[in-house]
């Protein structure tokens, strides 16, 4: 087998050399693949940023244009032996492929692998390859004309119509957190392949323990044969700490698809675990408060069939999804290697609206940030795409359990024969492609499509028709292909849902399966509404904030710096979103007096909202066993639910997640006028804890004697250690709770009345900064205050990096030290600065300063 890469520069022309330049954009004469045409347009217009102000409106034309991409390649003689194929992985979306002016194939689904036989179409020397792209919007509009009845979907202010009629990344058409950029291009790989035997398309594996230290590996290899022949097929598993396991035999293959099975035995492999759940993590947590963050050991599995071979990674673990009827309804949680796991995580959307900017560095940074915030689960949301290989590899390595939606979201979908057949090939490919990953925990049919039937007038007025269409697609095709091709992994029909064959309303019913709880944001209920439910697994919930002030300045002019300015509202896609943020200022806080203070308080508010939910739901363990926050990342700079800004800067929410998702945590809150303290222990070990409850005034003086509780807390549990009925909310004091365990101490400040009612004193915060020698630009910041300071935020305006802690409570005479470590995001290099520059760009804010 030989390969000839088609990656590199391609000539780019609009159809008929006509391109609409009314918006002031030139077209590029070339495009780099892998990559997208929109990025090529930007390279030809270096002063234009589609994310700046309302430039998105000027950037619609590239996605509405017919494009021809041409490349001349030199084909050596060795490539002309036997059979030749041209292959595209990640071609977006509708394209005709030409080899030397002969059309050899047509693509119509971004989520499929496309391979076309071009034997006899190439010659030695120069050959011309063309890709002629048709805009997905044009195809969608034509498909809509063919419909015998409407197929409605959710649309937004800036949108590409009928996105649900084409198999393309759905959120590219615009979403309530993202722009409308209908990208075109080839994003993963494109190449010509010469082969005699055929292709190893997929290697699927199943690991089963057969004794304490011995595992059986069932290997299913999918070979596409080009002739009837007998070839040797062998399997080798090797890696650190194990003796190689090898087996093989001659296999007769035929033309077309062949399935070859082998069974091997591997001795003493290291087990794959979710992050923070490894046995060695427990001692680390007790000593340092955090797990080891050691990567999982992954092993190489290589299948060789004649001249062709394929290698991928393998992990050893058992994983079950427990969804059983019980006295509370129906459970939902993951059990890994026999241990029940509380899923602490986030929802994932594409890491950029422009595919060329979805870099390996971004994937690594975001997933590393997820784990650093003590999370072990990520949900790949159904409006994006089946992620790149690096995403799944990093989840395997870091120990991140994946809830994998299939790519359908917030819509009804067609159930025509052609659409269903197209989807069938898509699901079959993606399931076989991804099923070997140990991190993949559950297949889910879609995001909110079951609920969407109740959203639109057309479907509400003819429910049976649309429910039948839903069943034909989701159960008849998606579920059928998932269960046939990955029968040992759980199938979950929709999110939210109560599981297979159950059509319960999981928007507001909390007792069965997974739930999306949006009443606090979309229905504008108070944060305390999170206490009104006892969910089994919350797979979506969120609250918005503004991005960091440094990020806002990247898409605004000075005149735009107002929460209700047209540009700030343009970079807010949830209807009325900025008004909701502002309204809650007045519910809980005093209104901030400056725009930067408003930005700060919006992030404090978001962090409090999500902590309110998570710490309560974790206290319900084992009734509730999962909380995945909407969302970790952004596709462009915007006010949204993300915990990490588009720029890579952690919001206060992400810093707070690091605390309230910690393996051992003190959950302290007021519910129904009762102060409660729960110790959450996600380690296996019983641990002794000392909890101290203090009541302080806003000068930091004790109002009453401390209450001290010493108690043993069992492993994998939530234990209520204290409660105190409150006669009424108190505005002249607050509760300060601390917990000591092992070598660690954590704290929590709890207001018993709304913060706006409390006369917080000027804390008079002071700080000192030291450069840490031999650390390539790290700094130590020591903070102290004369009076209690709440929600103390550190923000570095001139340097990318992470603080070891943030959103702090300071008490008099109790200084706290925070370490700043520079870091990079995307393709940017890590910068270092001198002490004076770091100090100049450091901004420290507390609640008091937001309104004084």
């Amino acid at each position: 087998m030989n390969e000839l890469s088609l990656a590199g520069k391609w000539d780019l022309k609009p159809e008929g050399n006509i391109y609409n330049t009314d918006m002031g954009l030139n077209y590029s004469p070339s495009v780099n693949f892998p990559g997208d045409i929109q990025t090529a347009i930007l390279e030809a217009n270096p002063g234009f940023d589609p994310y700046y102000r309302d430039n998105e409106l000027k950037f619609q034309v590239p996605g509405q244009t017919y494009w021809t991409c041409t490349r001349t390649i030199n084909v050596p003689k060795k490539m002309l032996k036997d059979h030749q194929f041209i292959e595209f992985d990640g071609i977006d979306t509708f394209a005709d492929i030409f080899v030397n002016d002969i059309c050899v194939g047509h693509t119509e689904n971004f989520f499929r692998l496309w391979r076309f036989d071009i034997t006899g179409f190439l010659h030695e020397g120069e050959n011309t390859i063309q890709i002629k792209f048709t805009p997905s919007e044009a195809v969608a509009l034509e498909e809509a004309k063919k419909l015998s009845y409407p197929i409605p979907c959710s649309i937004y202010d800036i949108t590409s119509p009928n996105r649900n009629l084409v198999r393309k990344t759905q959120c590219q058409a615009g979403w309530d957190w993202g722009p409308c950029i209908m990208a075109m291009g080839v994003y993963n790989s494109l190449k010509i392949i010469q082969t005699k035997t055929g292709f190893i398309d997929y290697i699927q594996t199943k690991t089963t323990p057969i004794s304490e230290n011995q595992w059986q590996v069932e290997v299913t290899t999918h070979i596409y044969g080009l002739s009837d022949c007998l070839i040797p097929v062998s399997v080798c598993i090797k890696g650190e700490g194990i003796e190689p396991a090898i087996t093989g035999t001659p296999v007769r293959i035929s033309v077309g698809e062949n399935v070859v099975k082998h069974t091997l035995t591997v001795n003493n492999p290291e087990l794959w675990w979710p992050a923070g759940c490894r046995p060695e993590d427990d001692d680390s947590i007790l000593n340092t408060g955090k797990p080891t963050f050691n990567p999982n050991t992954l092993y190489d599995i290589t299948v060789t069939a004649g001249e062709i071979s394929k290698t991928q990674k393998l992990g050893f673990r058992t994983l079950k999804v427990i969804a059983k009827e019980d006295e509370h309804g129906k459970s939902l949680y993951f059990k890994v290697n026999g241990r029940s796991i509380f899923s602490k995580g986030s929802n994932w959307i594409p890491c950029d609206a422009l595919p060329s900017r979805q870099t390996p560095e971004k994937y690594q940074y975001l997933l590393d940030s997820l784990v650093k915030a003590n999370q072990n689960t990520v949900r790949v949301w159904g409006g994006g795409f089946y992620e790149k290989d690096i995403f799944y590899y990093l989840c395997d390595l870091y120990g991140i359990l994946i809830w994998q939606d299939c790519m359908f979201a917030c819509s009804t979908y067609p159930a025509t024969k052609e659409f269903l057949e197209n989807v069938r090939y898509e699901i079959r490919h993606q399931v076989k492609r991804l099923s070997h990953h140990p991190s993949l925990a559950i297949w889910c049919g879609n995001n909110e499509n079951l609920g969407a039937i109740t959203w639109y007038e057309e479907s509400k007025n003819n429910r049976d028709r649309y429910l039948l269409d839903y069943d034909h697609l989701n159960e008849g095709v998606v579920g059928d292909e998932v269960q046939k091709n990955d029968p040992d992994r759980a199938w979950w029909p929709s999110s939210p849902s109560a599981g297979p064959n159950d059509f319960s309303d999981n928007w507001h019913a909390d007792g069965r399966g997974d739930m999306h709880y949006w009443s606090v944001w979309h229905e504008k209920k108070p944060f305390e509404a999170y206490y009104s439910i006892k969910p089994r697994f919350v797979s979506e919930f969120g609250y918005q904030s503004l991005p960091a002030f440094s990020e806002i300045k990247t898409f605004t002019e000075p005149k735009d710096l107002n929460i209700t300015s047209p540009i700030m509202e343009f970079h807010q896609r949830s209807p009325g979103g900025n008004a909701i943020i502002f309204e809650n200022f007045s519910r809980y806080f005093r209104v901030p007096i400056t725009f930067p203070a408003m930005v700060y308080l919006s992030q404090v508010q978001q962090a409090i909202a999500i902590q309110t939910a998570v710490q309560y739901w974790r206290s319900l363990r084992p009734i509730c066993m999962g909380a995945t926050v909407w969302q970790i990342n952004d596709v462009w700079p915007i006010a949204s639910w993300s915990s990490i800004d588009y720029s890579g800067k952690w919001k206060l929410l992400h810093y707070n997640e690091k605390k309230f998702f910690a393996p051992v945590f003190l959950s302290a809150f007021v519910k129904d006028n009762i102060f409660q303290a729960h110790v959450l222990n996600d380690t296996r070990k019983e641990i002794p804890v000392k909890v101290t409850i203090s009541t302080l005034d806003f000068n930091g003086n004790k109002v009453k004697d401390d209450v001290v509780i010493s108690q043993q807390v069992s492993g994998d549990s939530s234990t209520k250690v204290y409660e105190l009925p409150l006669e009424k909310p108190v505005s002249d004091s607050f509760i300060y709770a601390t917990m000591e365990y092992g070598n660690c101490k954590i704290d929590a400040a709890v207001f018993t009345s709304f913060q706006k009612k409390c006369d917080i004193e000027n804390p008079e915060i002071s700080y000192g900064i030291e450069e840490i020698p031999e650390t390539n630009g790290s700094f130590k910041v020591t903070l102290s205050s004369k009076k209690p300071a709440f929600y103390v935020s550190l923000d570095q305006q001139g340097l990318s990096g992470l603080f070891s802690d943030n959103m702090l409570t300071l008490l008099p005479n109790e200084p706290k030290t925070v370490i700043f470590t520079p870091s990079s995001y995307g393709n940017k290099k890590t910068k270092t600065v001198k002490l004076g520059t770091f100090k100049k760009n450091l901004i420290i804010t507390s609640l008091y300063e937001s309104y004084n």
Side-chain angles (χ1 to χ4, degrees):
M1 173 181 280
N2 294 294
E3 294 185 357
L4 181 61
S5 173
L6 299 177
K9 183 177 288 187
W10 290 61
D11 293 337
L12 176 66
K13 287 186 179 180
E15 184 183 75
N17 291 328
I18 297 172
Y19 179 69
N20 186 342
T21 58
D22 292 344
M23 295 298 182
L25 293 179
N26 300 312
Y27 81 83
S28 170
S30 64
V31 58
N32 285 307
F33 290 149
D36 61 88
I37 291 171
Q38 275 82 349
T39 294
I41 299 296
L42 293 177
E43 290 170 353
N45 296 271
F48 182 82
D49 178 1
Y51 300 164
Y52 182 69
R53 302 194 83 233
D54 58 359
N55 278 355
E56 175 195 355
L57 299 174
K58 305 173 184 177
F59 202 54
Q60 297 306 300
V61 174
Q64 299 163 345
T65 301
Y66 293 74
W67 294 99
T68 297
C69 305
T70 305
R71 185 164 189 203
T72 300
I73 58 169
N74 188 19
V75 177
K77 188 174 182 179
K78 68 178 182 179
M79 291 293 297
L80 301 178
K81 295 187 300 181
D82 305 312
H83 303 269
Q84 298 82 41
F85 291 80
I86 190 167
E87 182 182 281
F88 298 89
D89 181 11
I91 185 166
D92 190 4
T93 291
F94 295 92
D96 293 308
I97 312 302
F98 290 79
V99 175
N100 294 323
D101 297 323
I102 298 172
C103 186
V104 298
H106 172 76
T107 70
E108 58 186 11
N109 186 327
F110 171 60
F111 308 122
R112 290 171 61 178
L113 178 73
W114 294 96
R115 183 190 295 146
F116 305 109
D117 190 341
I118 58 171
T119 304
F121 293 103
L122 295 172
H123 50 257
E124 186 177 358
E126 285 194 350
N127 292 256
T128 301
I129 312 296
Q130 282 189 321
I131 309 171
K132 295 188 176 183
F133 286 99
T134 298
S136 295
E137 183 173 302
V139 175
L141 290 170
E142 288 301 311
E143 290 299 313
K145 294 176 183 177
K146 300 175 187 177
L147 297 174
S148 58
Y149 54 88
I151 306 293
C153 68
S154 296
I155 58 175
Y156 301 95
D157 289 343
I158 304 171
T159 192
S160 181
N162 306 115
R163 49 93 178 166
N164 55 330
L165 305 185
V166 294
R167 296 308 298 139
K168 175 181 176 64
T169 300
Q170 298 287 274
C171 65
Q172 287 185 357
W175 219 262
D176 59 359
W177 38 257
C180 178
I181 297 179
M182 296 289 279
M184 279 187 273
V186 185
Y187 311 145
N188 298 327
S189 66
L190 59 168
K191 56 191 173 184
I192 291 173
I193 305 167
Q194 174 272 326
T195 178
K196 177 181 179 181
T197 305
F199 305 89
I200 297 176
D201 285 327
Y202 312 100
I203 305 171
Q204 295 183 275
T205 54
K206 177 184 177 183
T207 58
T208 307
I210 52 179
S211 67
E212 184 177 354
N213 298 310
Q214 197 172 62
W215 286 69
Q216 177 179 284
V217 184
E218 298 172 53
V219 183
T220 301
T221 306
H222 299 263
I223 301 174
Y224 189 89
L226 297 175
S227 63
D228 295 331
C229 60
L230 188 69
I231 60 171
V233 180
S234 63
V235 182
C236 176
I237 299 172
K238 62 182 181 180
E240 184 179 348
I242 65 168
E243 290 292 323
I246 304 173
T247 188
T249 184
V251 174
R252 181 162 296 281
I253 66 169
S254 58
V255 176
E257 296 183 8
N258 299 264
V259 177
V260 181
K261 294 182 179 291
H262 294 87
T263 301
L264 298 85
T265 300
V266 176
N267 296 314
N268 301 308
E270 287 194 24
L271 295 190
W272 185 94
W273 284 100
C277 299
R278 304 174 187 90
E280 64 267 26
D281 286 332
D282 291 348
D283 288 336
S284 177
I285 291 165
L286 295 180
N287 288 326
T288 68
K290 55 188 179 182
T292 61
F293 298 124
N294 289 334
N296 276 300
T297 299
L298 302 174
Y299 300 90
D300 288 329
I301 177 169
T302 300
V303 176
T304 302
E307 61 163 348
I308 53 179
S309 67
K310 184 180 180 71
T311 299
Q312 62 192 35
K313 296 295 183 181
L314 174 69
F316 290 85
R317 56 95 177 107
T318 63
L319 192 154
K320 296 180 179 179
V321 174
I322 308 301
K324 291 185 176 180
E325 300 287 344
D326 59 24
E327 66 271 28
H328 305 289
K330 186 177 184 179
S331 66
L332 179 61
Y333 62 93
F334 303 123
K335 181 173 279 190
V336 180
N337 300 325
R339 186 181 180 203
S340 300
I341 305 296
F342 192 106
S343 290
K344 301 175 287 190
S346 294
N347 283 263
W348 174 278
I349 62 175
C351 61
D352 206 290
L354 290 167
S356 293
R357 298 183 183 181
Q358 295 164 359
T359 62
E361 293 82 5
K362 280 191 176 182
Y363 281 100
Q364 184 157 1
Y365 178 87
L366 288 169
L367 292 172
D368 180 64
S369 293
L370 183 142
V371 172
K372 283 179 178 174
N374 288 308
Q375 300 182 41
N376 58 27
T377 302
V378 67
R379 174 174 174 246
V380 181
W381 168 74
F385 57 91
Y386 308 93
E387 271 295 348
K388 297 184 179 184
D389 289 342
I390 189 172
F391 174 90
Y392 298 97
Y393 167 72
L394 290 171
C395 287
D396 289 345
L397 192 67
Y398 293 160
I400 302 171
L401 292 165
I402 299 173
W403 175 302
Q404 178 68 56
D405 280 3
C406 297
M407 293 301 120
F408 306 88
C410 302
S411 182
T412 62
Y413 283 88
T416 62
K417 179 181 177 181
E418 295 78 13
F419 189 87
L420 296 181
E421 191 69 8
N422 192 4
V423 169
R424 187 175 293 279
Y425 282 113
E426 165 194 326
I427 301 299
R428 188 178 300 164
H429 165 61
Q430 293 294 344
V431 171
K432 290 178 179 179
R433 170 194 165 222
L434 299 175
S435 64
H436 69 279
H437 287 283
S439 56
L440 185 58
I442 190 171
W443 288 104
C444 178
N446 60 74
N447 174 77
E448 299 182 352
N449 286 1
L450 180 58
I453 296 172
T454 67
W455 296 354
Y456 315 112
E457 287 302 315
E458 299 94 335
S459 54
K460 286 191 290 186
N461 294 334
N462 199 338
R463 180 180 182 275
D464 291 348
R465 166 190 279 174
Y466 291 92
L467 190 59
L468 191 62
D469 284 353
Y470 172 87
D471 186 67
H472 284 162
L473 172 63
N474 201 63
E475 300 296 337
V477 174
V478 180
D480 180 60
E481 287 295 327
V482 167
Q483 292 171 91
K484 282 194 304 188
N485 291 290
D486 196 9
D488 298 307
R489 192 172 269 108
W491 156 251
W492 200 252
S494 182
S495 182
S497 79
N501 304 311
D502 190 324
F503 294 87
S504 299
D505 171 22
N506 276 41
W507 289 90
H508 296 95
D510 57 358
R512 304 181 63 79
D514 77 305
M515 182 183 193
H516 292 188
Y517 189 69
W518 282 106
S519 295
V520 171
W521 177 257
H522 288 300
E523 298 174 29
K524 304 179 185 179
K525 290 186 177 181
F527 299 162
E528 292 76 19
Y530 288 122
Y531 299 148
S532 67
I533 61 171
K534 291 186 176 181
R536 312 312 303 271
F537 193 117
V538 189
S539 48
E540 270 193 30
F541 65 104
Y543 200 86
Q544 281 201 3
S545 72
L546 301 174
F549 187 50
S550 57
E551 178 156 308
I552 290 173
K553 289 191 287 187
T554 68
F555 65 82
T556 59
E557 295 179 357
K559 66 181 180 181
D560 302 323
L561 299 179
N562 185 294
I563 195 171
T564 59
S565 73
I567 295 303
M568 287 302 297
E569 292 192 338
F570 188 85
H571 284 254
Q572 163 63 270
R573 295 300 164 87
S574 181
N578 286 0
I580 296 173
I581 293 171
F582 190 83
E583 181 181 324
N584 253 15
F585 289 161
S586 60
R587 174 181 278 162
Y588 291 103
F589 303 101
R590 301 183 188 185
V591 175
I593 57 174
T594 66
F595 184 72
M598 203 167 282
V599 172
Y600 155 81
L601 195 57
S602 78
Q603 293 203 8
V604 167
Q605 186 168 263
Q606 178 192 36
I608 292 173
I610 302 306
Q611 178 171 342
T612 301
V614 171
Q615 68 177 0
Y616 173 62
W617 295 339
R618 284 188 70 188
S619 78
L620 298 175
R621 180 176 183 159
I623 296 173
C624 179
M625 288 294 288
T628 51
V629 181
W630 184 272
Q631 67 217 56
I632 185 172
N633 59 309
D634 275 323
V635 300
W636 73 319
I638 189 174
S640 82
W641 299 273
S642 72
S643 63
I644 300 177
D645 277 342
Y646 174 73
S647 64
K649 178 173 284 190
W650 286 19
K651 292 182 179 179
L652 293 180
L653 169 58
H654 206 77
Y655 284 107
N656 219 28
E657 288 174 340
K658 183 179 177 182
K659 300 176 188 180
F660 62 66
F661 277 140
V664 179
F665 181 66
L666 178 62
S667 174
F669 54 89
V670 176
K671 177 179 181 288
D672 299 329
N673 292 320
I674 299 174
F675 171 79
Q676 304 180 32
H678 300 251
V679 177
L680 313 177
N681 178 14
D682 286 346
T683 74
R684 298 166 178 78
K685 295 188 175 183
E686 182 178 76
I687 58 174
V689 300
K690 177 184 175 184
V691 177
T692 302
I693 310 296
S694 303
T695 303
L696 308 176
D697 64 22
F698 292 109
N699 289 303
N701 301 316
K702 290 186 179 181
V703 175
K704 58 178 72 172
D705 292 339
D706 290 349
V707 177
V708 180
I709 307 104
S710 296
Q711 189 166 328
Q712 294 288 125
V713 176
S714 58
D716 289 324
S717 72
S718 167
T719 304
K720 184 190 290 185
V721 295
Y722 181 72
E723 69 175 26
L724 175 68
L726 305 172
E727 293 183 7
K728 61 180 181 179
V730 177
S731 60
D732 58 0
S733 64
F734 65 100
I735 296 174
Y736 185 71
T738 63
M739 181 174 72
E740 298 171 64
Y741 68 96
N743 297 319
C744 306
K745 181 178 180 179
I746 60 177
D747 64 355
V750 180
F751 289 85
T752 65
S753 109
F754 289 165
Q755 291 89 331
K756 68 181 182 181
K757 296 181 180 294
C758 300
D759 286 325
I760 297 170
E761 299 286 341
N762 183 354
E764 299 183 55
I765 297 172
S766 59
Y767 61 92
I769 305 173
E770 298 176 44
E771 189 168 1
I772 304 175
E774 300 179 1
T775 60
N776 197 29
S778 294
F779 296 89
K780 179 169 70 174
V781 182
T782 302
L783 300 135
S784 58
S785 66
K786 294 183 178 180
K787 294 179 181 178
F790 304 96
Y791 316 131
V792 179
S793 161
L794 297 90
D795 185 23
Q796 176 53 234
Q797 294 276 308
L799 183 64
S800 296
L802 301 177
F803 293 96
S804 59
D805 198 3
N806 217 327
M807 198 169 163
L808 312 169
T809 301
L810 294 178
L811 295 185
N813 303 314
E814 294 186 19
K816 289 185 176 180
T817 297
V818 175
I819 305 298
F820 177 87
T821 304
S823 65
S824 61
Y825 181 60
N827 292 321
K828 298 177 181 178
K829 293 183 179 180
T830 303
K831 290 198 311 182
T832 58
V833 299
K834 298 297 185 181
L835 177 62
T837 303
F838 179 85
K839 185 174 183 179
K840 178 182 177 182
N841 290 295
L842 179 66
I843 297 175
I844 297 174
T845 310
S846 75
L847 182 60
Y848 176 85
E849 285 84 33
S850 72
Y851 58 86
N852 284 286

